[in-house]
Amino acid sequence: MDHGEKQLGMSLLEEMISTGLTPSDECYGAVMRTLSLAEDEDRVYSIFERMRNNVEFPSQSLALHIKEWFEGKKTEKWTGAFTSIHSSGHCRVCDTRLEGTDLTDEEFQLLHDSVLRRVIHGKDIFRSTTPKELKKFLDFIKDHHDYDVVVDGLNVAYTYGTKQKKYSRTLLKVVEHLAKQLGLRVLVLGRKHMKAGTSAHGAWRHSDMDTIESQADLFLTDDVSKDDPYLLSATLSCGPHARFISGDFMRDHKALLDQFVQQLFLKWLRGHQMKLLSLSYGAPIFSDVHTFDIVVQQTQNTWHFPYDNGEPRQGLEGPDKWLCVRRGN
């Protein structure tokens, strides 16, 4: 392809991006096929940087184009391989340790402030709570912000307790594990009917809720309120070490944030959100938090691309398939 056609292709790509459109994989692939010379490399790398900045996952076919582009370079030898990443965060092909999920102090503060401003103090917050209840919660968090883990009480109770209708017993097993066995400071967020509707033998038992309150702090909202804004705010207010337990996908809250903060939010979620998977002989089994970030990553001699192979994913979870490209033999 001649210089004019290359310029046209890049101009069309840049115009799409400038108008807020996300180029399709076919568009990316077509542009990459035209940019095969050494002087075109910076333009291709700018595409990869965009993928990273926007947390875009190339399809399997585009990942193959990326692999072929690197392996077709005339000035350097690059080798690509499709792989996965160890739970330790190391690539199974080149053993590179991928970038972690920890935020810098400045990034964490920006995320904390943005969530409070957009999610807690935003104009839509009173669709999910009341001014009186919001003030009560903010006063509570101001005085109680030293928890290690915040538990979405209803989400946890319903995750595994629905079949037997033993909601309080499921929640109790989780709290006991966290507080007694692991020695963690625990906050449980829930709704008032969890206590108001208790009985001696029902789904919400008096004795279970009393034991939960003896091992953890409990903050209950009105039954019409939504828990998620409080869950996020409470966890962030407890500092960078705090984690939370919930199976919620948090899509709506991500959408309220600016684009850069959305990236921080996703990164923070991967390193701090745990989900209750099951109870094994009464002991809770949680999903692992990610030790590495799921974005395009570069080192001096490697590139790593998480790619979408078409398998269904839940919520905001990233893919678990990767393309590793490394310089040299």
Side-chain angles (χ1 to χ4, degrees):
M1 182 172 284
D2 63 29
H3 180 72
E5 290 175 311
K6 289 182 182 181
Q7 287 295 109
L8 177 60
M10 284 302 299
S11 296
L12 291 174
L13 179 65
E14 290 166 0
E15 184 177 343
M16 288 182 66
I17 294 171
S18 67
T19 55
L21 298 175
T22 300
S24 66
D25 282 4
E26 289 76 13
C27 179
Y28 278 139
V31 170
M32 285 185 61
R33 284 192 292 273
T34 71
L35 301 175
S36 57
L37 300 179
E39 60 265 26
D40 299 323
E41 287 185 359
D42 286 346
R43 292 178 170 180
V44 178
Y45 289 141
S46 71
I47 293 175
F48 299 158
E49 190 65 25
R50 173 185 162 78
M51 290 179 180
R52 173 185 170 84
N53 291 339
N54 293 305
V55 197
E56 295 176 10
F57 306 126
S59 65
Q60 190 167 357
S61 61
L62 180 55
L64 181 59
H65 282 309
I66 294 171
K67 178 177 180 290
E68 292 172 343
W69 182 83
F70 274 101
E71 293 177 340
K73 293 176 70 170
K74 301 293 192 296
T75 56
E76 299 174 310
K77 178 175 175 56
W78 289 78
T79 303
F82 295 106
T83 185
S84 60
I85 308 299
H86 281 289
S87 59
S88 64
H90 289 83
C91 174
R92 294 178 187 273
V93 172
C94 67
D95 201 41
T96 296
R97 175 66 166 89
L98 297 192
E99 176 184 327
T101 55
D102 290 338
L103 303 181
T104 66
D105 291 344
E106 292 77 12
E107 289 172 338
F108 182 82
Q109 192 63 48
L110 174 60
L111 176 62
H112 171 273
D113 294 348
S114 297
V115 168
L116 260 64
R117 185 174 64 254
R118 295 292 185 89
V119 177
I120 295 296
H121 294 294
K123 60 183 179 181
D124 294 329
I125 184 62
F126 295 124
R127 295 180 183 178
S128 57
T129 190
T130 63
K132 181 179 178 181
E133 186 171 75
L134 177 62
K135 182 180 185 306
K136 179 182 175 183
F137 169 76
L138 293 175
D139 289 344
F140 175 85
I141 287 300
K142 184 178 180 181
D143 296 329
H144 302 78
H145 50 77
D146 57 347
Y147 300 105
D148 301 303
V149 59
V150 182
V151 178
D152 183 342
L154 278 183
N155 185 274
V156 165
Y158 291 157
T159 294
Y160 199 71
T162 302
K163 194 171 183 179
Q164 299 85 11
K165 291 190 180 299
K166 294 182 178 180
Y167 304 134
S168 60
R169 183 53 52 91
T170 297
L171 183 57
L172 174 58
K173 292 292 184 183
V174 170
V175 170
E176 282 185 332
H177 177 79
L178 297 170
K180 292 185 69 176
Q181 296 187 32
L182 300 183
L184 301 176
R185 287 263 303 162
V186 181
L187 169 65
V188 177
L189 296 179
R191 296 183 188 170
K192 291 180 178 177
H193 77 263
M194 292 165 60
K195 286 201 69 178
T198 56
S199 64
H201 305 288
W204 295 101
R205 297 185 178 185
H206 290 305
S207 58
D208 290 343
M209 296 306 297
D210 288 344
T211 305
I212 288 170
E213 278 199 278
S214 72
Q215 299 179 9
D217 285 345
L218 191 61
F219 186 91
L220 301 178
T221 65
D222 290 333
D223 291 336
V224 297
S225 297
K226 293 184 179 179
D227 309 295
D228 299 342
Y230 293 156
L231 183 70
L232 295 172
S233 176
T235 309
L236 286 164
S237 295
C238 291
H241 76 285
R243 295 180 178 182
F244 71 96
I245 301 174
S246 175
D248 194 282
F249 297 143
M250 307 295 170
R251 290 192 191 95
D252 293 343
H253 311 301
K254 170 179 173 285
L256 295 174
L257 303 172
D258 295 334
Q259 185 174 348
F260 176 68
V261 182
Q262 287 186 15
Q263 298 173 37
L264 300 181
F265 183 65
L266 287 174
K267 189 173 185 176
W268 177 76
L269 282 182
R270 292 186 183 118
H272 294 79
Q273 181 175 11
M274 302 165 61
K275 300 175 184 177
L276 177 63
L277 300 179
S278 66
L279 291 176
S280 177
Y281 300 100
I285 306 297
F286 301 109
S287 62
D288 292 329
V289 296
H290 281 288
T291 59
F292 57 92
D293 199 12
I294 306 179
V295 291
V296 174
Q297 301 197 23
Q298 176 194 14
T299 67
Q300 183 175 356
N301 292 309
T302 67
W303 282 85
H304 289 86
F305 298 84
Y307 68 90
D308 190 343
N309 66 347
E311 295 180 358
R313 302 195 308 273
Q314 290 189 328
L316 301 175
E317 292 181 357
D320 59 3
K321 305 298 183 184
W322 289 73
L323 167 64
C324 165
V325 187
R326 61 197 187 282
R327 193 198 319 256
N329 296 325

